[in-house]
Amino acid sequence: EAGVAQSPRYKIIEKRQSVAFWCNPISGHATLYWYQQILGQGPKLLIQFQNNGVVDDSQLPKDRFSAERLKGVDSTLKIQPAKLEDSAVYLCASSLLVVDEQFFGPGTRLTVL
Amino acid sequence: KQEVTQIPAALSVPEGENLVLNCSFTDSAIYNLQWFRQDPGKGLTSLLLIQSSQREQTSGRLNASLDKSSGRSTLYIAASQPGDSATYLCALYSSASKIIFGSGTRLSIRP
C-alpha cells in the first residue's frame, strides 16, 4: 500500500516570496492534515480536511497561509508571502476517518532566507 | 486548554535495557492517543493507537498504556536496541483542543 506522498522534499526561498506544497494521501483516506513542525518541537496542526471540507483551521495564519483539497483527494498548502519564521518542516498526514490513526508523509523542509 | 508534556526531553540508555517513556496531559476528555517515532530528517511513523475506551495496546516489543484519570500514557520498550534510537512523540485527539502533540523524547540507545 502506497503511503502519503509529498513534494517537494526541500525548498529554499527568499522572504516575501510564495511557495506551495503538495500532498497525496493514502488511497481511500477521507481525512487529511497539514502540520508545521519547527525544529525541536512537536508538530502543530494547521488545517484538517474531511473530504473537501474543513474540520479545523483554527491555527492556520490565514493572512498568509491557504490550503485547499479539491475533489477530496490531493491537497495544496500555500504560503504567500513567506516570513523568516515560516522556516520549518511541513508535514502532511491522512487517516481513514476523522478520529483515527494518522499516517504521515516524509515532509517538506522549507528554509526562508 | 489541553497541554501535553513529555518528560524527559532526552534519554540515553545502554542496549538491552527496558525503558518507559512518559506522556502527560491535562484534559481527560480525549478520543484517542497515538505514539509515533521520528527519525532525523524523516516524517512520523505510527507505533500504537489507544482509543479512549482502551487501557493498553501492544505491538512486538512495544506496549502503550493509557490512564485518563491520572492524565498519563506510557510507552514501554522492552529489550532496547540501537535501532530504537529516535524521537518518540505522543499526540492526543481531544474534543476541546482537537489534535495536540507533545514535544517528544529523544531516545539514544548505546551499543
Side-chain angles (χ1 to χ4, degrees), chain B residues 51-62:
Chain B
Q51 300 291 353
S52 176
S53 59
Q54 298 174 320
R55 293 300 300 264
E56 65 179 287
Q57 283 285 345
T58 298
S59 176
R61 294 183 294 109
L62 305 179

Side-chain angles (χ1 to χ4, degrees), chain A residues 31-32 47-51 53-58 98, chain B residues 93 98:
Chain A
T31 308
L32 185 147
I47 189 166
Q48 178 183 354
F49 291 97
Q50 173 70 6
N51 295 310
V54 175
V55 174
D56 181 10
D57 64 356
S58 57
V98 173
Chain B
Y93 199 132
K98 299 303 169 84

Side-chain angles (χ1 to χ4, degrees), chain B:
Chain B
K1 179 186 174 185
Q2 179 73 275
E3 292 184 7
V4 180
T5 304
Q6 291 187 250
I7 295 173
L11 180 64
S12 179
V13 301
E15 180 178 3
E17 278 201 6
N18 302 325
L19 58 99
V20 174
L21 305 180
N22 297 297
C23 173
S24 300
F25 49 94
T26 55
D27 184 353
S28 63
I30 64 172
Y31 293 125
N32 62 41
L33 186 147
Q34 192 168 357
W35 282 94
F36 298 88
R37 69 173 279 168
Q38 185 172 32
D39 294 282
K42 302 289 180 62
L44 280 66
T45 300
S46 177
L47 297 174
L48 290 164
L49 173 73
I50 310 178
Q51 300 291 353
S52 176
S53 59
Q54 298 174 320
R55 293 300 300 264
E56 65 179 287
Q57 283 285 345
T58 298
S59 176
R61 294 183 294 109
L62 305 179
N63 176 276
S65 68
L66 176 64
D67 183 346
K68 291 190 300 178
S69 62
S70 65
R72 187 174 179 223
S73 175
T74 61
L75 179 66
Y76 174 83
I77 303 176
S80 58
Q81 304 169 358
D84 295 329
S85 297
T87 296
Y88 289 80
L89 296 145
C90 65
L92 303 183
Y93 199 132
S94 69
S95 56
S97 305
K98 299 303 169 84
I99 301 168
I100 303 290
F101 273 82
S103 295
T105 295
R106 190 171 67 254
L107 177 64
S108 175
I109 308 298
R110 306 189 300 270

